[in-house]
Amino acid sequence: MPFFKKHIGYLTDNAVNPDKRRYAVVGEAPRHYIDLDMYPDTSKAILPRYWKEATEQYGEDTLAMHGIVPWHIQLVKYQLTEAFKERNIRRILRVAADLGHYIADANVPLHTTRNYNGQLTGQEGIHGFWESRLPELFSADYDFLVGPADYVYSPQKAAWRAVFQAHAALDSVLLFERELTHQFGEAKKYSFEERNGITVKVFSADFSQKYHAKLRGQVERQMRASVKMVGDFWYTCWVDAGQPDLRTLAALPISEEEQKADEAEKQSWLKRLLNVRSESD
């Protein structure tokens, strides 16, 4: 608690790093999702839960094509455990933020299907609607107090359980939006708002409220599941690392050199994204 609480600002700022890397770093994009509906059967016999067995059966290219988030969560869990063992403040925080991001993605129903934005069913924009617009409007009333962290005896099972539970909610996500669109019509489905001096088209407050009510707390449940799972995994990594004294680490600041290294890395993502060469290159 003292360590993570002290660095909550860093964790907040860097939790979006995986998204920043998504289009700039080769191999990053598949880490955010898994298209479960691309596999004829997701039983353990067909879709191995461990990466080694999965690559032997399908090959890395096929797995990457359909997303690897449950396998990647297991890898990042190992990386965070090692960072705790090393007592490396910068690495602990960076990997913890990354792990939180991937876990949150795994709990989003639309991250478990190839129809991730409703593009296959004429429901384009539903991803941002569920993931951003609804929390923007209603999360102030959500309860994110989920109790103390618990040790995860099988991180592999926990990662797969998360994506399967999220996938089980997918039918409601798509069905209720389709029903309300038919009821409201396109004109009442959307409205316009001013944001940073720009007029943008958004899902209307009335449509959003009706959809949110039909989901009966689904967004809040999935967000709470993410919160609990992140805490459980962070705690598990710390325990598996031998429970190093984080009070001592909490007393140490992130050095100026480390801060500069973080900023330089983020700039490198931006350069690759924009395909811009620095003057010194």
Side-chain angles (χ1 to χ4, degrees):
M1 176 65 77
F3 179 79
F4 283 109
K5 195 74 171 179
K6 175 182 177 180
H7 295 293
I8 189 66
Y10 181 99
L11 289 164
T12 302
D13 292 341
N14 288 274
V16 296
N17 284 352
D19 277 344
K20 291 181 177 179
R21 296 193 300 260
R22 187 164 188 159
Y23 301 104
V25 176
V26 175
E28 176 61 43
R31 300 169 180 172
H32 297 247
Y33 66 91
I34 181 169
D35 297 336
L36 290 176
D37 45 15
M38 291 302 295
Y39 295 95
D41 186 354
T42 55
S43 66
K44 290 183 180 179
I46 302 299
L47 189 56
R49 302 304 191 247
Y50 289 103
W51 180 248
K52 183 176 183 296
E53 289 84 350
T55 55
E56 289 173 352
Q57 183 165 335
Y58 287 98
E60 290 191 20
D61 290 345
T62 297
L63 293 174
M65 186 185 305
H66 302 315
I68 62 171
V69 66
W71 293 293
H72 194 63
I73 286 173
Q74 298 170 51
L75 172 62
V76 182
K77 185 271 172 192
Y78 169 78
Q79 293 173 340
L80 182 55
T81 301
E82 292 302 300
F84 275 124
K85 288 180 180 178
E86 297 167 1
R87 293 167 171 72
N88 184 322
I89 298 175
R90 177 174 176 246
R91 182 162 172 76
I92 291 171
L93 293 172
R94 290 181 62 210
V95 179
D98 280 0
L99 180 57
H101 187 109
Y102 298 125
I103 285 174
D105 279 348
N107 282 279
V108 175
L110 288 160
H111 280 248
T112 68
T113 174
R114 65 189 181 116
N115 190 25
Y116 60 90
N117 195 31
Q119 75 279 9
L120 302 179
T121 51
Q123 296 173 280
E124 289 85 352
I126 194 172
H127 194 134
F129 181 36
W130 191 99
E131 190 176 86
S132 299
R133 179 64 167 164
L134 295 183
E136 175 186 72
L137 292 173
F138 306 111
S139 65
D141 295 324
Y142 292 173
D143 179 8
F144 293 124
L145 297 178
V146 296
D150 295 309
Y151 183 81
V152 181
Y153 287 93
S154 178
Q156 167 248 357
K157 289 182 180 178
W160 282 99
R161 185 164 55 247
V163 296
F164 284 132
Q165 289 176 346
H167 192 64
L170 180 63
D171 56 349
S172 299
V173 172
L174 297 169
L175 174 63
F176 294 150
E177 195 275 347
R178 188 182 303 113
E179 290 178 347
L180 284 174
T181 297
H182 179 72
Q183 177 183 330
F184 272 67
E186 291 294 319
K188 293 182 179 180
K189 179 177 179 178
Y190 300 103
S191 62
F192 294 89
E193 294 182 0
E194 290 286 333
R195 300 196 177 188
N196 299 319
I198 300 174
T199 301
V200 295
K201 184 179 180 180
V202 297
F203 286 86
S204 70
D206 191 25
F207 185 90
S208 300
Q209 194 281 326
K210 293 291 196 305
Y211 182 60
H212 191 257
K214 272 184 168 291
L215 290 174
R216 296 188 177 184
Q218 183 194 86
V219 178
E220 180 180 8
R221 285 194 300 275
Q222 293 306 115
M223 292 182 74
R224 283 173 55 86
S226 296
V227 172
K228 183 67 167 70
M229 189 173 171
V230 171
D232 289 349
F233 267 69
W234 285 357
Y235 174 69
T236 300
C237 292
W238 173 73
V239 171
D240 288 350
Q243 304 182 36
D245 185 358
L246 296 186
R247 290 171 298 182
T248 301
L249 290 183
L252 302 175
I254 298 177
S255 69
E256 185 176 344
E257 291 77 13
E258 290 173 328
Q259 294 178 34
K260 289 180 178 179
D262 275 345
E263 187 56 35
E265 185 175 14
K266 291 174 184 177
Q267 288 300 317
S268 74
W269 303 337
L270 183 61
K271 286 181 180 179
R272 276 178 276 178
L273 179 61
L274 300 177
N275 198 25
V276 174
R277 293 173 63 89
S278 68
E279 293 181 356
S280 61
D281 288 342

